[in-house]
Each structure stands twice: as structure tokens, then as C-alpha cells.
Amino acid sequence: MTTLTPATAADRTGVSIDTLRYYEREGLIGPIRRSAGGRRQYTEDDLFWIGLVTCFREAGLGIADLRGFVAILRAEHPPQDRVAFLRERRASLEQRVAALRRAMEVLDEKIIYYS
């Protein structure tokens, strides 16, 4: 199994080493393997989880939401629990997108007005 250093994992995922450590502390990824010397060793599976967490964070999910989702996944809840969680978050995201679109329309109107 190929493992990656923290620096390489950070580079490949686009997050800082501090963020990787934070995600691990919060239980959002991991546990991360350690070498005999205690250094973190990331796997491709870890990178997948980091990407998932990063995507959800960019979508506006908070740490508490992410902890909840990870708990659902790790406890092997039925698929409908996972789907319900994701649908609720998607609905919230749709509301945010609609609000952003309205704000952009107002900005476009002001740009036209002041041009």
C-alpha cells in the first residue's frame, strides 16, 4: 500500500497540514496510520475522505454537521439515514444558492444603473 507524507497529502488535497490535523482531531478523517517513528502516513482512502470533507465544508456544512455524517457512515446506519442527511443539507444549499442569485441580480441592476 502506497502511503503519502503529510506534505504530499496536503498538496494533493489542496488543504494545509494544519487543516489535515484539525480534521483528524475532529474525527472527520482517520484514524491516520503512523510510521514506526510516529509520522502520519496518508493513504488514497484518506485522500478520498479529505476530499469529501473539503467539498462539504465548501458547501457550507459546519463541523457539527460533518461529525454527524461521519458518525452515520461509521456506524453503518441504513442507507436511508445517509440519504436523509444529504437531502436536508442539499435543501439548505439550494436555499443559499437562491439567496446568492437574488443578491447577484441586485448587484447586476446596480451595475447597470451606475454604468
Side-chain angles (χ1 to χ4, degrees), residues 17 48 58 85 89 107:
I17 292 173
F48 170 80
E58 289 172 352
F85 175 92
R89 296 328 177 273
L107 290 172

Side-chain angles (χ1 to χ4, degrees), residues 42-103:
Y42 294 87
T43 65
E44 290 296 326
D45 190 50
D46 295 325
L47 297 187
F48 170 80
W49 277 95
I50 294 162
L52 185 64
V53 168
T54 301
C55 177
F56 284 178
R57 290 287 293 147
E58 289 172 352
L61 273 73
I63 296 299
D65 282 333
L66 289 168
R67 275 194 221 112
F69 186 62
V70 169
I72 289 170
L73 291 175
R74 289 190 176 150
E76 298 186 22
H77 284 249
Q80 56 267 33
D81 290 354
R82 297 171 187 182
V83 170
F85 175 92
L86 294 169
R87 282 188 174 147
E88 288 172 14
R89 296 328 177 273
R90 188 179 192 291
S92 294
L93 192 55
E94 283 179 347
Q95 291 173 351
R96 286 185 46 221
V97 168
L100 288 171
R101 283 193 179 120
R102 287 190 300 273

Side-chain angles (χ1 to χ4, degrees), residues 103-115:
M104 288 174 62
E105 289 171 4
V106 170
L107 290 172
D108 288 344
E109 290 171 6
K110 294 303 174 193
I111 289 168
I112 291 168
Y113 177 80
Y114 290 116
S115 292

Side-chain angles (χ1 to χ4, degrees), residues 8-52:
T8 302
D11 185 54
R12 292 223 359 228
T13 60
V15 300
S16 70
I17 292 173
D18 288 336
T19 299
L20 293 176
R21 289 184 188 132
Y22 176 70
Y23 287 170
E24 185 180 5
R25 266 193 322 272
E26 292 297 321
L28 304 178
I29 62 171
I32 302 300
R33 310 176 102 193
R34 301 268 182 160
S35 69
R39 293 189 52 96
R40 288 174 176 86
Q41 298 178 315
Y42 294 87
T43 65
E44 290 296 326
D45 190 50
D46 295 325
L47 297 187
F48 170 80
W49 277 95
I50 294 162
L52 185 64

